[in-house]
């Protein structure tokens, strides 16, 4: 439309110029130089006036974001039911569970709202923890010249499982990989003690061995090479198979950092080639966007930051393509906005929620099976603060669990880069009628209204809209749903998540700096048809 208008204006401008030149010629012959100068000035001004008018017209014409949904396609991918899972940093154990009361009914309730999920207990200090049963003295596995050793007691281990059972989540425990013999192989003695104790108490656990082993030289001044770690995983899998309670348990790894260098890519590959691939039930790597120590608010909104996750996942897939077969689930085994515990006054604010919802959407679209959010508690990136009150990402996570199903829809998008949307089959909900429902969700990263067109999807005339925004600034710790501030009710009960019912039109809008979930009901999408 803008191009057609500009063409018309160009033709009209040519005719105006031609007329004015003729008038200049006639006036010069009749009235002299002054009148000629006036007309010449007018001739110069006309193009500027017309250009200003064209620019203004173009600025008033919105740039659209267009999503195409093929109703005949099958689901692109189906994620794990525990896709959005939780991390609990090992420092909770090494610091003696400060402010983290595993029996607190509020804490249990707020975690339960995020079930089903895994609770992955791990982090840097996982490789400094040994398990000791109550009443027994622990073995000193390290010489005094090496780094500190911390104890997880049997009673604390049982308390963590009490929390998990009450909250309806399943524990993944990260075993200490730095307990090693002189020849460099893993010493599994402490793991056997923990397995025997856990089986005796019928504790449901999945397992991991080590945290970011490629970073051991930097963090612990020691090296565990990738091939040795692969063989250690083979040994751990055999060990688990010897316990009736854990022969079918999940083992995940290698839990490296993001594959940002060729050395890390090689570490990842050599682990998998040395028995790691056959041993694990899911392949894991970690992802953060930047350091929390020097992060800026601009980074939280920069499009290149959002695109970085896609690059990281593509890099992992490229390495996996070098294997004869790579048919194993791929997990983000630990992830958040910024490492070093998050970015103060940013990771725990609404500002940080754009990266979080985009990570959920993009990860699922790219075939990631589980995303483990670091962390449920402790740190600037925590979902809950030290008073067990939700930070913005907790509200985003709960609404995601409420609305977004496991089936990922194939989409093609074009247009405004600051709008990023994804599509899944929607979860059943008492608000809308049963049938084939689709939820489109994502972000508007600009300070103006975003215009969206959803193409090739037939649906009911009404759309259920859930729009999240900050109640003041992007640095607010409070979140609004359709203009109402979200707050827990008495006894930590959830508020009602009431959608705004809007008419489906050709063009839909998203408020500036907002997160949106649109539910389209009674669609013609075969992938979301009731089974």
């Amino acid at each position: 439309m803008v191009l057609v208008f500009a063409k018309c204006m160009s033709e009209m401008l040519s005719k105006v110029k031609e007329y004015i030149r003729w008038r200049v010629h006639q006036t010069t012959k009749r009235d002299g130089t002054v009148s000629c100068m006036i007309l010449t000035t007018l001739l110069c001004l006309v193009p500027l006036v017309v250009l200003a008018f064209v620019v203004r017209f173009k600025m008033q014409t919105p740039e659209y974001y267009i999503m195409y949904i093929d109703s005949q396609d099958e689901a692109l991918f189906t994620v794990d039911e525990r896709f959005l899972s939780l991390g609990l940093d090992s420092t909770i154990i090494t610091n003696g569970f400060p402010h983290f009361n595993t029996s607190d009914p509020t804490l249990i309730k707020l975690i339960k709202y995020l079930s089903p999920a895994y609770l992955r207990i791990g982090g840097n200090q996982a490789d400094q923890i040994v398990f000791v049963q109550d009443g027994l003295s622990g073995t000193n596995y390290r010489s005094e010249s090496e780094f500190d050793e911390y104890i997880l007691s049997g009673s604390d281990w049982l308390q963590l499982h009490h929390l998990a059972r009450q909250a309806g989540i399943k524990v993944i425990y990260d075993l200490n990989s730095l307990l090693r013999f002189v020849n460099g192989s893993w010493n599994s003695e402490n793991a056997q003690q923990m397995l025997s104790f856990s089986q005796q108490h019928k504790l449901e656990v999945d397992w991991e061995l080590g945290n970011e082993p490629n970073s051991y030289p930097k963090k612990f001044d020691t090296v565990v090479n990738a091939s040795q770690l692969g063989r250690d995983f083979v040994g751990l899998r055999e060990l688990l198979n010897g316990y009736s309670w854990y022969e079918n348990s999940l083992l995940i790894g290698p839990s490296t950092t993001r594959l940002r260098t060729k050395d890390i890519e090689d570490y990842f590959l050599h682990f998998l080639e040395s028995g790691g691939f056959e041993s694990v039930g899911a392949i894991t790597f970690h992802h953060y966007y930047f350091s929390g120590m020097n992060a800026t608010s601009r980074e939280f909104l920069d499009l290149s930051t959002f695109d970085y996750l896609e690059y990281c996942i593509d890099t992992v897939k490229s390495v996996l393509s070098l294997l004869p077969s790579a048919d194993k689930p791929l997990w983000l085994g630990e992830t958040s906005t910024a490492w070093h515990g998050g970015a103060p006054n940013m990771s725990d604010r609404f500002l940080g929620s754009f990266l979080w919802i985009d990570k959920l959407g993009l990860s699922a679209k790219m075939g990631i099976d589980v995303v483990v959010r670091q962390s449920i508690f402790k740190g600037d990136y925590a979902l809950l603060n030290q008073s067990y009150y939700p930070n913005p990402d907790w509200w985003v996570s709960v609404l995601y669990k409420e609305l977004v199903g496991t089936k990922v829809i194939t989409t093609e998008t074009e247009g405004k880069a600051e709008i990023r949307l994804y599509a899944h089959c929607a979860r059943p909900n008492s608000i809308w009628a049963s049938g084939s429902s689709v939820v489109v969700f994502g972000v508007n990263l600009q300070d103006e209204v975003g215009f969206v067109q959803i193409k090739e999807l037939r649906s009911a005339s009404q759309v259920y809209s859930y729009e999240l925004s900050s109640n003041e600034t992007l640095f607010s710790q409070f979140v609004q749903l359709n203009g109402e501030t979200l707050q827990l009710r008495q006894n930590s009960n959830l508020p009602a998540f009431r959608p705004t019912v809007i008419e489906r039109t050709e063009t839909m809008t998203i408020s500036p700096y907002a997160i949106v979930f649109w539910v389209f009901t009674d669609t013609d999408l075969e992938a979301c048809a009731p089974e």
Side-chain angles (χ1 to χ4, degrees):
M1 181 178 178
V2 173
L3 292 176
V4 173
F5 177 80
K7 183 178 180 182
C8 292
M9 292 301 296
S10 178
E11 292 175 355
M12 185 178 73
L13 178 58
S14 297
K15 292 179 180 179
V16 170
K17 285 183 176 180
E18 185 179 343
Y19 173 76
I20 292 178
R21 287 194 186 99
W22 179 81
R23 290 293 299 163
V24 168
H25 179 71
Q26 296 296 320
T27 304
T28 302
K29 290 194 298 182
R30 187 179 68 248
D31 299 327
T33 305
V34 175
S35 297
C36 178
M37 290 178 62
I38 294 172
L39 285 172
T40 302
T41 303
L42 287 173
L43 181 62
C44 295
L45 288 176
V46 166
L48 296 176
V49 172
V50 173
L51 178 62
F53 188 78
V54 170
V55 170
R56 179 178 175 84
F57 179 83
K58 187 172 182 179
M59 290 177 62
Q60 290 176 344
T61 303
E63 184 178 348
Y64 296 103
Y65 176 95
I66 303 173
M67 172 180 279
Y68 300 91
I69 299 177
D70 188 343
S71 62
Q72 303 305 311
D73 271 0
E74 297 180 354
L76 173 66
F77 185 69
T78 301
V79 299
D80 193 288
E81 184 68 21
R82 298 183 175 98
F83 172 72
L84 196 170
S85 284
L86 310 170
L88 182 66
D89 197 274
S90 299
T91 54
I92 293 292
I93 297 171
T94 60
N95 291 340
F97 295 86
H99 311 294
F100 191 79
N101 181 355
T102 54
S103 299
D104 189 283
T106 298
L107 177 62
I108 292 170
K109 201 168 191 176
L110 296 185
I111 296 177
K112 190 171 185 177
Y113 289 134
L114 297 171
S115 68
Y118 291 106
L119 179 66
R120 183 249 184 184
I121 303 172
N124 287 335
Q125 291 190 330
D127 290 304
Q128 295 176 263
I129 296 174
V130 295
F131 174 78
V132 177
Q133 294 186 46
D134 296 275
L136 300 179
S137 58
T139 303
N140 182 15
Y141 290 97
R142 301 203 173 110
S143 66
E144 292 183 359
S145 63
E146 293 182 301
F147 37 81
D148 293 336
E149 185 177 275
Y150 301 93
I151 289 175
L152 171 62
S153 68
S155 57
D156 285 339
W157 182 226
L158 292 175
Q159 280 299 108
L160 285 167
H161 278 275
H162 170 77
L163 171 106
R165 281 195 299 269
Q166 294 295 310
I169 57 179
K170 188 174 186 182
V171 170
I172 297 174
Y173 186 76
D174 189 3
L175 293 165
N176 188 336
S177 174
L178 290 180
L179 300 175
R180 299 206 161 257
F181 293 112
V182 175
N183 65 5
S185 63
W186 181 53
N187 181 349
S188 64
E189 179 184 346
N190 191 247
Q192 292 177 53
Q193 294 172 9
M194 191 173 193
L195 285 165
S196 297
F197 179 89
S198 300
Q199 178 165 275
Q200 177 187 346
H201 291 275
K202 294 182 167 52
L203 305 181
E204 292 190 14
V205 194
D206 290 324
W207 305 91
E208 186 177 15
L209 179 60
N211 181 79
E212 300 180 354
N214 59 291
S215 294
Y216 285 166
K218 179 179 179 180
K219 295 174 181 176
F220 298 111
D221 195 25
T222 191
V223 175
V224 176
N225 70 60
S227 299
Q228 179 61 59
L229 187 66
R231 293 190 293 271
D232 296 333
F233 267 72
V234 172
L236 176 53
R237 183 68 266 174
E238 292 174 351
L239 183 62
L240 293 172
N241 292 345
Y243 288 83
S244 59
W245 201 252
Y246 299 115
E247 60 184 348
N248 295 317
S249 64
L250 187 66
L251 175 61
I252 65 172
S255 304
T256 62
T257 60
R258 66 198 191 284
L259 276 55
R260 66 187 185 279
T261 67
K262 184 63 167 59
D263 286 344
I264 304 175
E265 290 180 29
D266 290 343
Y267 193 101
F268 192 80
L269 179 61
H270 293 159
F271 164 82
L272 295 171
E273 291 177 329
S274 303
F277 180 81
E278 290 77 16
S279 302
V280 298
I283 299 169
T284 59
F285 70 103
H286 297 176
H287 175 270
Y288 294 86
Y289 297 99
F290 38 67
S291 169
M293 297 178 68
N294 52 17
T296 65
S297 59
R298 178 174 294 182
E299 289 177 289
F300 277 83
L301 298 172
D302 193 315
L303 290 178
S304 65
T305 302
F306 286 78
D307 292 337
Y308 183 54
L309 174 60
E310 182 174 1
Y311 166 79
C312 291
I313 296 174
D314 278 338
T315 302
V316 172
K317 287 184 174 182
S318 177
V319 173
L320 292 176
S321 71
L322 301 176
L323 299 172
S325 172
D327 189 22
K328 291 282 178 79
L330 186 59
W331 288 21
L332 278 177
E334 179 188 307
T335 191
S336 191
T337 50
W339 66 87
H340 286 308
N345 303 317
M346 287 182 280
S347 291
D348 60 348
R349 307 303 164 99
F350 189 71
L351 175 70
S353 296
F354 300 116
L355 283 170
W356 176 227
I357 191 63
D358 187 77
K359 176 169 286 186
L360 293 173
L362 183 57
S363 295
K365 186 175 183 178
M366 296 191 70
I368 299 295
D369 206 44
V370 171
V371 173
V372 180
R373 169 59 188 259
Q374 189 83 349
S375 66
I376 185 62
F377 185 81
K378 193 176 186 298
D380 292 300
Y381 50 31
L383 297 181
L384 303 174
N385 67 20
Q386 291 200 358
S387 300
Y388 305 153
Y389 199 82
N391 286 323
D393 281 4
W394 183 89
W395 290 108
V396 172
S397 300
V398 170
L399 194 57
Y400 180 96
K401 289 273 189 177
E402 189 90 6
L403 301 176
V404 181
T406 58
K407 290 184 178 180
V408 185
I409 303 306
T410 303
T411 62
E412 295 291 337
T413 61
E414 63 181 43
K416 197 73 173 176
E418 290 82 1
I419 298 174
R420 300 169 67 95
L421 299 179
Y422 307 92
H424 284 224
C425 297
R427 288 194 181 277
N429 193 296
S430 59
I431 297 177
W432 50 80
S434 61
S436 178
S437 299
V438 174
V439 56
V440 173
F441 64 95
V443 299
N444 179 15
L445 299 173
Q446 55 189 348
D447 59 358
E448 59 186 35
V449 172
F451 298 90
V452 177
Q453 294 180 344
I454 309 294
K455 302 282 192 179
E456 301 176 10
L457 177 69
R458 294 180 182 177
S459 70
S461 60
Q462 292 184 323
V463 178
Y464 297 92
S465 176
Y466 301 79
E467 189 172 86
L468 298 176
S469 58
S470 62
N471 68 336
E472 296 172 355
T473 74
L474 295 181
F475 296 92
S476 174
Q477 287 185 289
F478 294 96
V479 181
Q480 290 188 334
L481 171 60
N482 296 330
E484 296 291 330
T485 300
L486 290 170
Q487 291 181 311
L488 293 173
R489 302 295 188 240
Q490 189 174 8
N491 298 321
S492 298
N493 290 326
L494 287 175
F497 294 133
R498 295 190 180 91
T500 298
V501 181
I502 60 177
E503 290 298 316
R504 181 173 181 187
T505 55
E506 181 182 3
T507 301
M508 304 174 69
T509 60
I510 312 178
S511 297
Y513 292 124
I515 295 170
V516 72
F517 297 82
W518 289 324
V519 179
F520 299 84
T521 61
D522 296 326
T523 73
D524 60 345
L525 201 63
E526 293 182 3
C528 300
E531 297 178 356

